Amino acid sequence: CSFFNSPNSLDMRYVVAVLFILSLVKISSAQHESQFFQPEEDVYILAQNGLNMRSAPELTAAKVVTIPLGQKVRVLENSLVMWVLKDYGGYEIKNYWYKVKFAEKEGYVFGGYLSRFPAPLKDGKTMIYLDEYVKENFTLLSTKPLHTGEGDYRDCMNWFIYEEGLVVTQNYCGRHDSYTRYIFEDTRLEEIAAMIHIVMLGLEEKGKIESGVVYKETEQTIVMSYDLCDYYLSKLPVGGVMLVEHCYD
């Protein structure tokens, strides 16, 4: 299962257009190289059950405190101790332990569940719609229609450019399904996977779905599915992540 096999035949032109747009918003190569977190950077917890802060950069060290989902922490330093675990259907998460500060406590947390993007929460509850999440957390710079395609595919796409390095296109095109593509620059795949996983668990808690399915398609791709939508997450060669949300009526 891959979004490159979707009914939309404009993928190649779409990718070229996105690369052009990314160049317009002046994404620097230095940003793409910054795949890990820096001292004095504020980041968010994206672990569903909270993330344990430990006294040393290792899993067996004493627990200092459990930091709840969505809380902000300040990065103090990179321990340079790398750790690898598997999640999201067997995807390998590889990151460093970071010394962070939270609520006047200092200790070490695994960077695989940290993100520069806030958790999909509002008033302590999970936000189950990505467009709502984007509107709450990103600053819109511009929007315009995409006049591409032929027949049923013409004049049915729009794109949105956000200040924080996010490009979104929506494709409704008169069918019984829709595609929304999100391009997150300077982002690791597991950051977006954690976000979508939280959304899916929120849907389960609200009784909107019975259960979601998560599996790894390749080393570069994660697929997450439930009753109404499929999510395809893929690393981009220029850096960042493409998220395709495919929903059905």
Side-chain angles (χ1 to χ4, degrees):
C1 181
S2 171
F3 66 83
F4 291 111
N5 296 325
S6 72
N8 183 0
S9 61
L10 304 177
D11 287 309
M12 199 63 214
R13 278 174 285 177
Y14 170 80
V15 170
V16 172
V18 166
L19 294 178
F20 175 69
I21 288 296
L22 292 180
S23 69
L24 292 180
V25 294
K26 298 181 181 178
I27 297 173
S28 70
S29 59
Q31 284 178 302
H32 289 315
E33 292 168 0
S34 177
Q35 293 297 307
F36 301 105
F37 305 109
Q38 307 301 315
E40 302 304 313
E41 188 173 3
D42 290 329
V43 294
Y44 298 89
I45 303 297
L46 286 189
Q48 176 67 25
N49 297 316
L51 188 62
N52 289 330
M53 176 192 288
R54 298 192 178 275
S55 60
E58 57 186 18
L59 194 60
T60 57
K63 184 174 75 173
V64 178
V65 66
T66 298
I67 308 173
L69 168 68
Q71 292 296 307
K72 185 187 291 186
V73 301
R74 170 66 58 89
V75 175
L76 299 179
E77 64 181 43
N78 185 336
S79 73
L80 300 181
V81 176
M82 181 70 73
W83 193 45
V84 180
L85 62 80
K86 290 187 177 180
D87 202 346
Y88 315 124
Y91 179 79
E92 190 175 88
I93 301 176
K94 186 176 183 180
N95 212 308
Y96 294 105
W97 286 83
Y98 291 88
K99 188 175 184 180
V100 301
K101 184 174 182 177
F102 171 73
E104 302 306 318
K105 296 181 183 294
E106 295 183 7
Y108 295 85
V109 298
F110 176 56
Y113 295 101
L114 299 178
S115 176
R116 294 183 175 94
F117 299 114
L121 300 174
K122 185 176 182 180
D123 300 326
K125 298 181 180 179
T126 303
M127 302 170 73
I128 59 176
Y129 300 108
L130 282 182
D131 57 348
E132 178 188 8
Y133 170 79
V134 168
K135 289 176 183 177
E136 285 285 331
N137 294 286
F138 294 83
T139 306
L140 182 65
L141 290 178
S142 64
T143 179
K144 61 181 177 180
L146 280 173
H147 297 287
T148 58
E150 299 176 355
D152 291 341
Y153 294 100
R154 186 171 179 81
D155 299 338
C156 56
M157 296 178 68
N158 293 282
W159 65 15
F160 305 85
I161 303 172
Y162 293 84
E163 183 177 355
E164 294 82 357
L166 172 65
V167 176
V168 179
T169 66
Q170 294 177 323
N171 180 351
Y172 295 100
C173 294
R175 298 187 300 267
H176 295 292
D177 57 359
S178 64
Y179 288 86
T180 304
R181 288 176 172 83
Y182 301 82
I183 302 292
F184 296 88
E185 59 100 354
D186 193 30
T187 307
R188 294 171 294 108
L189 188 61
E190 55 263 33
E191 288 185 63
I192 309 304
M195 185 189 305
I196 300 302
H197 197 218
I198 292 166
V199 168
M200 292 173 64
L201 292 173
L203 286 164
E204 290 181 32
E205 291 173 0
K206 296 177 188 299
K208 293 185 177 292
I209 61 172
E210 292 185 4
S211 63
V213 178
V214 181
Y215 63 93
K216 180 185 71 171
E217 188 173 49
T218 70
E219 293 300 325
Q220 305 293 319
T221 307
I222 298 174
V223 181
M224 299 183 169
S225 301
Y226 62 88
D227 299 354
L228 302 176
C229 295
D230 299 322
Y231 295 98
Y232 306 92
L233 296 79
S234 183
K235 292 182 180 179
L236 291 175
V238 295
V241 174
M242 175 188 285
L243 164 63
V244 179
E245 179 186 51
H246 180 202
C247 294
Y248 313 90
D249 291 343

